[in-house]
Amino acid sequence: MKAEIGVVCLTVSALFQKWNQLKNLRWKYIMIDLVLGLGMFLLIRFEDSMSNEVTEYFQNFVAWLQSLIEWLMGAPGGLKLNKPLNTALGKLFISHLALWRNFMSVVAPVISHGIFAMRCSCFLGISVVLALICDMVSLLSVHLLCFAIYAARLFHLEVRGLVSMGRLFRGTKYNPLRKRVDSCTFDVEQLLLGSAAFTVFFFLFPTTLTYYAVFCSLRLVVLLVLVSLRTVVRLLLEGKPPCQSAQQLTTALFALAKSIRDGNAI
């Protein structure tokens, strides 16, 4: 799964697949790919204007994301969140957005070259163009990946803390050697410390859950776009039937949702 939806240069993979098509003389798929690529070539005409539009779009998206974070730092939907943690998380994400703005200011001159490369790649087929678009979206949405990872790690840290404290109150603990839950006797000091830790985790949990739900939802939207593009590229290059590609898309999305739920690398 990581090899398919991770930070992988899909353009290079598409070029290798295109070379395999030429070696295997799969002229039907090659001609369809080239015709669609030439149609895309007629649509992409003004590199400067399109690069400016792409840059402006991502700047507007970053501005919208900052307004979303500022909304979360208040009382989103009337929720009463923990103010110190909410402020700390909001400032952390806003500082990352500031770094991302600096990154965009550096990358902005390169976007026009990327649009030009996209236009030239139309002569190789629309699959290469879509692969290049997929790589550009992956690169320009790295900040959402970071936000989702931060929120998921913090969320699952608190969940594990709540589960551990719940076992403490029941007189049990997890045995990592035998990988099972065993009974255990705790003294008064341990119970008091566990009660204090449980209280802290419990009252911080709604704030963490809010950020986790928001940023993981945004990340899933981006991943839906990426997996859809990858599915279309595979359909054009490997000749997969539409039903099989749709099944692979559904399987990939379920795996992505499970990875976010389990707090793994997204």
Side-chain angles (χ1 to χ4, degrees):
M1 178 58 60
K2 291 182 181 179
E4 292 182 1
I5 60 177
V7 184
V8 179
C9 186
L10 184 61
T11 306
V12 177
S13 177
L15 291 175
F16 277 111
Q17 291 289 339
K18 180 65 65 175
W19 174 249
N20 290 331
Q21 279 187 343
L22 292 174
K23 288 196 303 182
N24 297 327
L25 301 178
R26 304 177 65 180
W27 298 112
K28 176 181 177 181
Y29 297 104
I30 293 175
M31 292 304 298
I32 294 175
D33 199 5
L34 287 177
V35 169
L36 294 176
L38 292 177
M40 180 67 72
F41 175 79
L42 298 177
L43 295 177
I44 304 177
R45 295 182 179 180
F46 306 100
E47 295 85 358
D48 295 335
S49 62
M50 181 168 289
S51 62
N52 294 332
E53 291 176 0
V54 172
T55 304
E56 183 180 359
Y57 170 78
F58 278 98
Q59 289 177 351
N60 293 335
F61 179 74
V62 171
W64 174 82
L65 197 58
Q66 181 171 351
S67 64
L68 176 63
I69 295 174
E70 292 174 352
W71 177 71
L72 291 175
M73 292 176 66
L79 297 176
K80 185 66 175 179
L81 303 180
N82 183 270
K83 187 174 181 180
L85 179 61
N86 193 9
T87 303
L89 290 177
K91 290 183 178 179
L92 173 65
F93 292 133
I94 289 177
S95 64
H96 277 69
L97 283 180
L99 294 176
W100 185 252
R101 284 194 179 93
N102 295 332
F103 173 76
M104 286 297 299
S105 63
V106 175
V107 174
V110 185
I111 294 180
S112 59
H113 299 287
I115 299 297
F116 179 75
M118 188 185 305
R119 187 182 183 188
C120 294
S121 63
C122 292
F123 295 100
L124 298 176
I126 195 173
S127 59
V128 181
V129 180
L130 295 178
L132 187 59
I133 293 175
C134 185
D135 289 335
M136 292 181 64
V137 172
S138 299
L139 178 63
L140 297 176
S141 62
V142 174
H143 56 303
L144 288 180
L145 172 63
C146 296
F147 291 169
I149 290 177
Y150 297 157
R153 292 299 182 183
L154 183 59
F155 173 78
H156 288 282
L157 175 64
E158 292 194 7
V159 169
R160 294 190 188 100
L162 289 173
V163 172
S164 298
M165 296 305 104
R167 290 172 181 163
L168 184 142
F169 297 147
R170 297 195 305 268
T172 59
K173 70 174 184 178
Y174 179 73
N175 189 342
L177 297 178
R178 298 185 177 182
K179 296 182 179 180
R180 69 182 187 185
V181 178
D182 297 331
S183 59
C184 183
T185 303
F186 300 97
D187 54 25
V188 178
E189 289 79 6
Q190 290 175 326
L191 291 175
L192 289 176
L193 182 60
S195 300
F198 180 83
T199 303
V200 172
F201 283 129
F202 181 78
F203 285 104
L204 295 181
F205 185 75
T207 304
T208 307
L209 177 62
T210 302
Y211 281 88
Y212 171 78
V214 170
F215 289 118
C216 286
S217 299
L218 292 176
R219 179 58 185 168
L220 277 178
V221 172
V222 175
L223 289 175
L224 176 62
V225 175
L226 294 178
V227 174
S228 301
L229 289 174
R230 290 174 183 270
T231 303
V232 175
V233 171
R234 290 192 62 182
L235 176 62
L236 292 171
L237 293 177
E238 301 178 8
K240 299 289 184 180
C243 57
Q244 184 176 356
S245 299
Q247 182 180 3
Q248 292 175 351
L249 174 61
T250 305
T251 304
L253 289 178
F254 275 112
L256 290 172
K258 185 177 182 298
S259 66
I260 292 179
R261 184 197 65 185
D262 297 337
N264 298 327
I266 303 175

